[in-house]
Amino acid sequence: MSKVVRTNTGAAAPDPSEAEVAARVEALMGRMSLEEKIGQLTQIGGAAFVPGPKPEDVIRKGGAGSVLWLNNTKQFNVLQKIAVEESPAKIPLLFALDVIHGYRTIFPVPLAMASSWDPSVAERAQAVAAKEARAAGLHWTFGPMLDIARDARWGRIVEGAGEDPFLGVAMAAAQVRGFQGPSLGAPDRIVACAKHFAGYGVADGGRDYDPVYLPEGQLRNVYFPPFEAALKAGVGTFMSAYMDLNDVPASGNRFLLRDVLRGEWGFKGFVISDAFAVGSLVTQGFARDGRDAAFRALSAGVNMDMASNTYPQHLAGLVEDGTLKLDDIDAAVRPILAVKVRMGLFEQPYTDESKLAQVVALPEHRKEARLAAQRSMVLLRNEGRLLPLAKSLKNVAVIGPLADSMEATEGSWMVFGHTPAAVTVVEGIRAKLPGAKVEYAPGPEIRRDIASWFDTMMPEAKKVPQTPEQAEAACQTAVATARSADVVVMVLGENADMAGEAASRASLDLPGRQEELLKAVVTLGKPVVLVLLNGRPLSIGWAAENVPAILEAWEPGSEGGHAIADILFGDVNPGGKLPVTFPRKGSHAPLYYARNLTHSPEGSPMYNPRYWDGLPTPLYPFGFGLSYTTFSITSLKVSAPQVKVGRSVTVTADVTNTGSVVGDEVAQLYIHQRAGSDSRPMRELKGFERLTLKPGETKTVTFTLGPAELSHWSTNAGKWIQDAEAFDVWVGANSLATLHADLVVVC
Ligand code: NOJ
């Protein structure tokens, strides 16, 4: 190991070859004791809420390979110095944190970025996040979150790319490229972590952490693909999920972590458990005690124990009594050391403390955040072309509890220790209309009925709740403010702590008195625009019929207020599309477009309603989104009516801007296999492209349908197959596309 201490301002060294990495790892292993090896398998918490000895003391003894929940450059260097100068094997630490949608410059939440249907947005966002995080001294992020989520009640739907595996694959690969760059040694980048492997989004009832029951076909056709895509994009690490998958906790699940991840996919990096998850194998009623938990997690394939302290307590004993072999430990340690070698940490363990301020102030980071927010927003309704609003407006009211909330604008999953600093909607509109009167009234506050443990860390949740009288007065002030305006912008939705971990909901209604306030304002008869800030689909049935314009802005990040104003006042034409279905009611969840057909499909002569007390169809379908212009999609052609198994055809269609302003359309390709070895979903997304078109302009989109798109994992056959069967093909602007062609796959 180099004795020369350099900082991360040093020039990047060329990537070492596999053989070089292996040789360096072996050399290190040769001089490590069992305790130090187990130390490398141990991630400790740097935050006060984590019990146990002081990090300095653990690190000095070589008892930790990584530190999480610390966000302090100076302290990173202090701890790193202890690791590389005082610990016995002098192995540098990996500093890890959840950098989910930005470090200091906050980007739209991942669900929003998926709404852009533009993977390059996510790639650039995560590259900026990586650059800032690396400048802060971080090496490793716990992202991207790749759980497909079809149940809008589940709070963590906000962290992923939504309900669809095809879109999920594109977003997964893009985020890995963004975080990591071309290799693990890339400067200004960090190692990514594909999480939570696997099936976490299918928690029973949408209740976070609840058990998951998923047949293998569902796992392989729907839930695995984004993870495999991350792996193919070179992701350095995986995180095992918390919950039981088919009665085996994911963090003790050999099928997931050994058979599939390493066996079938050949993953060479390392797996970390979710926080405390190794210890939780006992709580979950799977492992007998801590010793059994350590044994089962390690044997299942968890290399690193996140913060539960179970590995350091029990692994040595398990080796000493022969339950585990030294080889088992060595095999777990090697990929961790390999990541450190590849990252160049031995050469450059420290961080230049003067760099962060300059990096987070780079104007291009804010520019990227604004662009990402603009491209992520989805126009859900625009009756009578109320939008875009005129910049000549003189008197605008901005109403709602989220209109001036930095927390709600930046959204859930803030970096540990981050202070929200977003441009709010009120600020964005004021900046856009410097000469106008822009009045703001929040109306009644909104808050969770039941706080989570995470709320103890959120200043918002510590505020004294409004009394009913205060709420009523706030409501009246808001209505009076709206009454005196020419146009009202209502900013409603969810607080940052209403989506994310431990933030599931039984209802998808607007929380608190927001709908009541909306109704009171709409009754005034003014033009009303509803801007939604939220981390999941909401059941906004009343608004969808009564509010002329609705913009789904999600949780848009640091530049959110500016991006919203850009769209409301026509500087930007919205072009995002929903990556999730909007159900009419929370009780309709899970609702997603790629369901199998039934014996009584909609439109059939003997159709039977799914519910008798309300339409079960989506309020807004997957893939939906409007624009300030109009488009037509025509001339669908499949290059041949038949294709042989294993061969490909080309699908083309013409997309024309039929309106009068430049705008974006996302052409979407869907297929359906009509019969075969298994029932297949009535529609499956198999291609998309976001296009910018001038008025009158036509572009031709070209998609490929080949074995990758036309195969599936067959429950009946127990393997991947491509059936020689007939397929429907559609291209259109959302999952209800009607432009249709036939394709027959033949032997
Ligand atoms: C628990 C969460 O499930 C996971 O997503 C996160 O990365 C870890 N905590 C670390 O903060």
Side-chain angles (χ1 to χ4, degrees), residues 388-391 393 396 429 432-433 564-571:
L389 299 170
K391 283 189 207 153
L393 278 171
V396 178
I429 294 179
K432 189 65 81 185
L433 304 181
I564 289 168
D566 291 338
I567 289 180
L568 295 184
F569 293 92
D571 288 334

Side-chain angles (χ1 to χ4, degrees), residues 544-744:
E545 287 189 1
N546 297 285
V547 182
I550 307 176
L551 180 69
E552 176 52 86
W554 303 112
E555 295 172 337
S558 301
E559 288 288 306
H562 284 320
I564 289 168
D566 291 338
I567 289 180
L568 295 184
F569 293 92
D571 288 334
V572 170
N573 188 352
K577 302 275 184 173
L578 296 177
V580 273
T581 301
F582 269 46
R584 290 172 196 274
K585 290 183 180 179
S587 53
H588 294 182
L591 185 67
Y592 51 95
Y593 82 93
R595 303 184 312 282
N596 288 4
L597 287 165
T598 71
H599 81 285
S600 171
E602 277 146 39
S604 70
M606 288 180 66
Y607 172 67
N608 282 314
R610 295 292 174 271
Y611 299 123
W612 62 257
D613 61 349
L615 274 178
T617 51
L619 185 60
Y620 296 111
F622 174 82
F624 175 80
L626 302 171
S627 164
Y628 295 155
T629 187
T630 49
F631 298 95
S632 72
I633 302 184
T634 57
S635 313
L636 172 59
K637 290 190 193 82
V638 182
S639 58
Q642 295 197 337
V643 62
K644 276 191 181 275
V645 167
R647 296 287 182 78
S648 301
V649 284
T650 302
V651 179
T652 54
D654 292 342
V655 186
T656 305
N657 182 342
T658 50
S660 52
V661 288
V662 66
D664 285 12
E665 179 60 295
V666 181
Q668 302 163 37
L669 167 74
Y670 293 90
I671 63 163
H672 169 233
Q673 181 176 331
R674 287 193 207 140
S677 312
D678 310 85
S679 304
R680 300 296 302 142
M682 57 175 107
R683 294 220 171 176
E684 288 181 278
L685 182 73
K686 291 294 175 185
F688 66 87
E689 190 177 344
R690 182 169 174 160
L691 305 160
T692 302
L693 294 165
K694 295 192 206 80
E697 191 184 5
T698 298
K699 282 184 185 165
T700 302
V701 281
T702 305
F703 301 109
T704 302
L705 283 179
E709 291 77 24
L710 300 169
S711 302
H712 69 278
W713 198 88
S714 164
T715 297
N716 261 335
K719 59 178 183 187
W720 287 97
I721 57 165
Q722 187 180 359
D723 282 328
E725 291 289 350
F727 284 75
D728 298 295
V729 177
W730 296 268
V731 174
N734 61 58
S735 56
L736 302 180
T738 52
L739 186 65
H740 177 267
D742 292 302
L743 174 67
V744 181

Side-chain angles (χ1 to χ4, degrees), residues 334-351:
R334 277 192 192 99
I336 296 172
L337 295 179
V339 165
K340 294 182 178 186
V341 169
R342 283 186 199 285
M343 285 193 80
L345 285 192
F346 289 90
E347 290 74 28
Q348 299 183 5
Y350 298 110
T351 296

Side-chain angles (χ1 to χ4, degrees), residues 43 68-69 97-98 100 142-143 145 156 159 195-196 200 208-209 239 242 273-275 306 413 454 501:
Q43 185 178 59
L68 89 158
W69 298 322
L97 206 64
D98 294 277
I100 306 297
F142 299 128
M145 192 282 227
R156 304 198 76 168
E159 292 172 58
K195 75 181 186 186
H196 310 83
Y200 184 25
D208 205 4
Y209 314 129
M239 185 187 292
Y242 277 131
S273 73
D274 202 337
M306 186 193 286
W413 253 130
F454 296 102
E501 187 175 353

Side-chain angles (χ1 to χ4, degrees), residues 154 156 200 203-204 206-212 242-244 274 284 452 454 501-504:
W154 189 54
R156 304 198 76 168
Y200 184 25
D204 271 353
R207 295 177 296 270
D208 205 4
Y209 314 129
D210 260 15
V212 169
Y242 277 131
M243 77 305 145
D244 271 27
D274 202 337
Q284 280 169 260
S452 86
F454 296 102
E501 187 175 353
S504 292

Side-chain angles (χ1 to χ4, degrees), residues 43-252:
Q43 185 178 59
I44 58 169
F49 61 80
V50 189
K54 278 173 61 184
E56 289 84 336
D57 299 339
V58 179
I59 294 163
R60 192 166 285 114
K61 289 188 197 136
S66 175
V67 177
L68 89 158
W69 298 322
L70 180 69
N71 186 12
N72 181 325
T73 314
K74 210 168 167 178
Q75 188 62 8
F76 288 148
N77 281 338
V78 169
L79 297 182
Q80 193 69 297
K81 192 160 190 294
I82 298 173
V84 300
E85 292 186 13
E86 298 177 39
S87 80
K90 305 194 165 22
I91 295 173
L93 296 159
L94 276 172
F95 294 111
L97 206 64
D98 294 277
V99 181
I100 306 297
H101 53 112
Y103 176 79
R104 187 72 56 77
T105 307
I106 305 301
F107 284 80
V109 287
L111 186 64
M113 288 202 273
S115 300
S116 71
W117 291 60
D118 178 357
S120 75
V121 162
E123 182 170 344
R124 289 198 309 273
Q126 302 305 26
V128 169
K131 186 167 182 163
E132 294 187 359
R134 191 68 191 256
L138 289 161
H139 306 124
W140 181 18
T141 179
F142 299 128
M145 192 282 227
L146 304 178
D147 298 303
I148 296 294
R150 296 176 159 188
D151 190 329
R153 296 170 299 180
W154 189 54
R156 304 198 76 168
I157 195 170
V158 64
E159 292 172 58
E163 74 182 47
D164 187 73
F166 192 88
L167 183 59
V169 159
M171 289 295 160
Q175 291 189 78
V176 171
R177 289 194 301 268
F179 281 131
Q180 293 191 169
S183 74
L184 291 191
D188 297 337
R189 305 287 180 130
I190 52 181
V191 180
C193 181
K195 75 181 186 186
H196 310 83
F197 197 54
Y200 184 25
V202 197
D204 271 353
R207 295 177 296 270
D208 205 4
Y209 314 129
D210 260 15
V212 169
Y213 291 95
L214 269 178
E216 192 170 348
Q218 283 279 295
L219 277 169
R220 292 186 181 273
N221 289 316
V222 180
Y223 295 90
F224 283 171
F227 288 97
E228 197 177 3
L231 187 142
K232 286 185 181 151
V235 75
T237 68
F238 265 64
M239 185 187 292
S240 61
Y242 277 131
M243 77 305 145
D244 271 27
L245 174 69
N246 303 329
D247 293 337
V248 182
S251 294

